[in-house]
Every structure is written in C-alpha cells, then in structure tokens.
Amino acid sequence: MALDHELQSVGKSPRHTELEAQTKVERDAQILARLGKKSVLEVRSESERLENRYGWLVICGWQGILAGSGYLTGTMIEALIQLNHPNYNPQRWEGTLLFWATVVVAVLINTVASRLLPPIEAFILVVHVLGFFAILIPVVYMAPEKASAHEVFTVFQNGGAWPSQGLSFFIGLIGSVFAMFGCDSAVHMAEEVRNADWVVPWSMLVTTLLNGALGFGIVVAMLFVTTDIEAALESPAGALGYPFMQIFYDATGSKGGSSAMIAIVIVMSSCGTIAALATASRLVWAFARDRGLPFWHHMSKVQMGTVIPLYAVIICSLVACAIGLINIGSSTAFNDVISLSVSSLYASYILTESFLLYHRLTGGIKSSRNGADETSEPNQLIWGPFHLPGIFGIAVNLFAICFGIIIFFFSFWPVATPVEAATMNYSVLMTGAVILFAILYYIAYARKVYKGPIVEVAPFQLEQAMTPDSKFDR
C-alpha cells in the first residue's frame, strides 16, 4: 500500500493537496527509517542509478515484446489472406493497421473486460494445448512425403552463410529465445496474485516446461514434413516471413484445413498480445509508483473500482502503436526497435542472476522462514518457500548467467552475411540509446525524486513506528 493510505489507516491525516515530489520522498524516508527499512535495495546513489537503468531496460524489453507480438499477429493475418488469395499484394501500412487492431482488442480486454481476464487466460491455456494436437495430428498424418530421421537430426543448414556451423547455431538461437519469452510475466503480476511466493515460481516452471515440450514437439514434426525448405521460404507466405503456412498447405493439400490451423496460431499470438500488454502496463505502473518515469504522478494511478492502471495501459498501447508507424517506412528499422526485447531483457536477467549469485556466495540471504516478519535488519534478503539451496542453486545461477551472456552477445549479430545497411542489426544502437537516455534522465530529474523501489509495510508496523517509544525507532 502507498504510505499515504497506510497513514490514514492508523488514524493519521495525510495532506489532501498534492505535495512536492521532494517533500514526499523525505517524508516517506522518515517513516521507513522509523521502521528500520529503506528501499528494497540499498539507497546509495550508485544503487539508485543502477536500479533506474535496470527499470528502463525491463520496460523497454517488454514494450518490444508487446509491439512484436502485435506485429506478428497483424502480418500473419496478411499472410493468411495471401495464401487464400494469390493475387493479393500486401502493403506494409495494411500490416500496421492490423497491428493496431490487435492492440485495440488487447486494450479492451485489459480495461473494459478486465474482470474476465482470468477466465480468458484459462481459456487460452485450453486452446493452447488442444490447438497443439489440432495442428500436429493432421500435418503429420496427411503429409504426402516425410523426411528421414537422418535428415532431421543430422543435417544442419547454414542459411546465413556464416564461416562455421557453430556460429550459425548461436545466431539462429535468438529466434528460439524470442519464441520462449514471457514466462516471467507472472513476476510482474505478482501483486495481483494470491500466495505469490508459491504460485508465481510454480507458474513460471510449469509454463516453461509445458511450452518447451510442446514447442519441441511441433518443431520436430515440422522438420519431418518439410522436404523442401527452400520452396517454403520462397513461397508468398514465406516471403512475408511465415513459411510454416506453406508447409501446412503442402502437408494437408487443403486451403481450408491449413487456414483453420493457421487461425489457431493467430489466435494464440493475439492472446500473447493481451498478456504482453497486461505485463508491460504493470511494469510501467510499478516503476512510475517508484517515481522512476516521467509523469509518474499520473501513470502511478489506478482506476477506482477495477484497480486497473488505466494510464499505464493507455501509455503502453500508444507507444506500441507509435512503434508500428515505423514499419510503414522501414521494416528493418521496426525490427531493430522490437529487437530490444531480447537484448534489454537478457541484460536485466544477467544483472538479477549476478546479484543473486553474489548474495548466495556471501551468505547475504537469510534462511529463516520467519525472517520476513522481522524489521530489525534493513534490506535483509529472505529466502522464500520456493528456492534451490546449496551447490545446486549456485550451479543453476552460474548456468543462467553464462547462458544470458551468450544470448545477450549474439542478439546484436545480423542474421546473414554479407551484411548491408538494410540487413544490419542495429539493436546494439537501440540498447545503448535506452541506457544513455536513462542516464541522462536520471541526472536531469529522476535523481531528485527516485529513491529506489517503494517498500510496502503493514498497518501495524506503521502504528508501531509512529509510537515514540517504539522498538522500531532508530
């Protein structure tokens, strides 16, 4: 809860007029000091600057996922039309309009129909699992020709003409990484989840295992039914970036059947846009609540009655639609913008895992189950009920850091050689621009109001803190 609300709950009368930002920061700091607390992380200026850049990276990463998901949905609709009407000549502006339509649907579900979001998500899970079999069985059964196991598992393609197969593998890995994004969205929705310390990690684990298994299964199936990959890539749908549509058609021989299977993929992509908007808006709202964004006074507000961060939802959707305009002028520039999702998020993952490993090795995390209720040690990290202790946890952290560094490094590479201005990967420029903007914004304004993440405390702790002889008084 915000400190104003907590003060009211213990009989204190907060000012009804808007306070100056610096005054609010000082007042909150005094109350937290009496509780023996500071920010969630340390409030040293060095930590504040790092936290601020970290927040911008995560927000830009998820904004890229939102834009990318909407773009994929819109352009897949174009490719589906192309498959059924060969004379159709898709234009980039048409893809942008379909992209906007997808974002509008996501906005409506996240605002007007926000109470229906949980059952909608449950419905999405059912469609996700059933859709897997609805695609896998017809494609495998009806395919007139199939590749051999030798061709599927031992023959490798180097479509980018890279000097070695190993280099081609790592560069091609980025596409699979993008496809598996999103499992950490539950973390950013944790404040709206009951028993989040158990539910969130379990949802992340189950989501990764389920999607990983289904994804691996459909990839293997597609490899077996694809006997001419070059023909699929050169098809009209393949030229738009979706050769799987031609593979569906070649396997079934039916435009109606293949269109039905493609529709399932489009529905799942549009549902991903809904989830991406929900996650991105909560990130923007939380960072604005911490006073880390411009206009945080407005973006940190929630809508009365529904408790939806309406301003954050609108800002995220408008930014996504603005990014879509770039596609009209240049698809290369658009791809460079949404490529922030990989580099920015993996930069944030590396930082998180590195700090966790550091505290593991230095004994900075308490193992007491009751430690979360103690307020005598400011900023004390406490193990939750879901964690991997000992050497196994350290090994997982090390692997995560190494894997993250590899992905972060290769996320800046172009997909093929020779590299030209039109095929260059400018994501390193975009990532650097985000970090530079975060630094300049922090120096110009944020350092005056941003003091780290806002700490939530219980009403009884505030009541004790406001008592003169309280044990929390420092």
Side-chain angles (χ1 to χ4, degrees), residues 5 55 106 241 329:
H5 179 72

Side-chain angles (χ1 to χ4, degrees), residues 88-103:
Y88 169 63
N89 184 25
Q91 303 296 321
R92 284 201 292 262
W93 65 266
E94 295 172 334
T96 297
L97 289 179
L98 291 169
F99 168 25
W100 287 357
T102 304
V103 173

Side-chain angles (χ1 to χ4, degrees), residues 86-363:
N87 294 328
Y88 169 63
N89 184 25
Q91 303 296 321
R92 284 201 292 262
W93 65 266
E94 295 172 334
T96 297
L97 289 179
L98 291 169
F99 168 25
W100 287 357
T102 304
V103 173
V104 169
V105 172
V107 170
L108 292 176
I109 293 179
N110 274 278
T111 55
V112 178
S114 60
R115 296 183 184 275
L116 299 177
L117 190 57
I120 289 175
E121 294 286 355
F123 171 75
I124 293 171
L125 176 61
V126 174
V127 174
H128 182 46
V129 176
L130 295 181
F132 168 77
F133 294 102
I135 293 174
L136 181 70
I137 295 173
V139 167
V140 174
Y141 180 77
M142 299 181 67
E145 297 181 38
K146 295 182 178 66
S148 65
H150 173 78
E151 293 174 315
V152 170
F153 295 108
T154 63
V155 176
F156 297 90
Q157 299 285 339
N158 186 354
W162 293 102
S164 68
Q165 190 62 52
L167 183 59
S168 176
F169 167 80
F170 282 109
I171 295 173
L173 189 62
I174 304 303
S176 300
V177 167
F178 183 84
M180 287 295 292
F181 264 150
C183 71
D184 62 319
S185 61
V187 174
H188 310 303
M189 303 286 290
E191 293 185 68
E192 303 172 49
V193 177
R194 295 179 181 177
N195 301 320
D197 53 352
W198 270 107
V199 174
V200 169
W202 270 113
S203 67
M204 292 177 63
L205 181 61
V206 172
T207 297
T208 302
L209 293 176
L210 176 63
N211 287 322
L214 297 183
F216 180 76
I218 201 71
V219 166
V220 172
M222 293 290 283
L223 289 174
F224 270 105
V225 302
T226 304
T227 55
D228 190 348
I229 185 63
E230 294 299 329
L233 291 171
E234 294 172 0
S235 67
L240 292 175
Y242 304 106
F244 77 90
M245 296 186 181
Q246 186 65 38
I247 295 172
F248 283 1
Y249 176 64
D250 292 339
T252 61
S254 168
K255 287 188 176 180
S258 57
S259 296
M261 293 187 293
I262 294 167
I264 295 175
V265 179
I266 293 175
V267 169
M268 295 310 303
S269 179
S270 62
C271 293
T273 306
I274 296 171
L277 178 58
T279 302
S281 62
R282 269 57 175 190
L283 277 167
V284 168
W285 169 77
F287 201 35
R289 179 186 57 182
D290 298 337
R291 310 179 183 111
L293 292 175
F295 310 109
W296 57 266
H297 299 85
H298 302 288
M299 288 192 289
S300 60
K301 295 178 181 178
V302 296
Q303 188 179 21
M304 296 299 294
T306 60
V307 199
I308 297 297
L310 182 60
Y311 287 103
V313 171
I314 293 174
I315 289 297
C316 289
S317 59
L318 290 178
V319 170
C321 290
I323 293 174
L325 288 173
I326 301 175
N327 180 59
I328 298 177
S330 171
S331 58
T332 301
F334 176 82
N335 290 329
D336 291 334
V337 173
I338 65 174
S339 65
L340 275 171
S341 56
V342 176
S343 57
S344 295
L345 287 183
Y346 266 85
S348 68
Y349 297 159
I350 293 169
L351 286 173
T352 303
E353 290 291 342
S354 298
F355 285 129
L356 178 58
L357 179 62
Y358 170 78
H359 286 293
R360 274 183 181 273
L361 297 176
T362 58

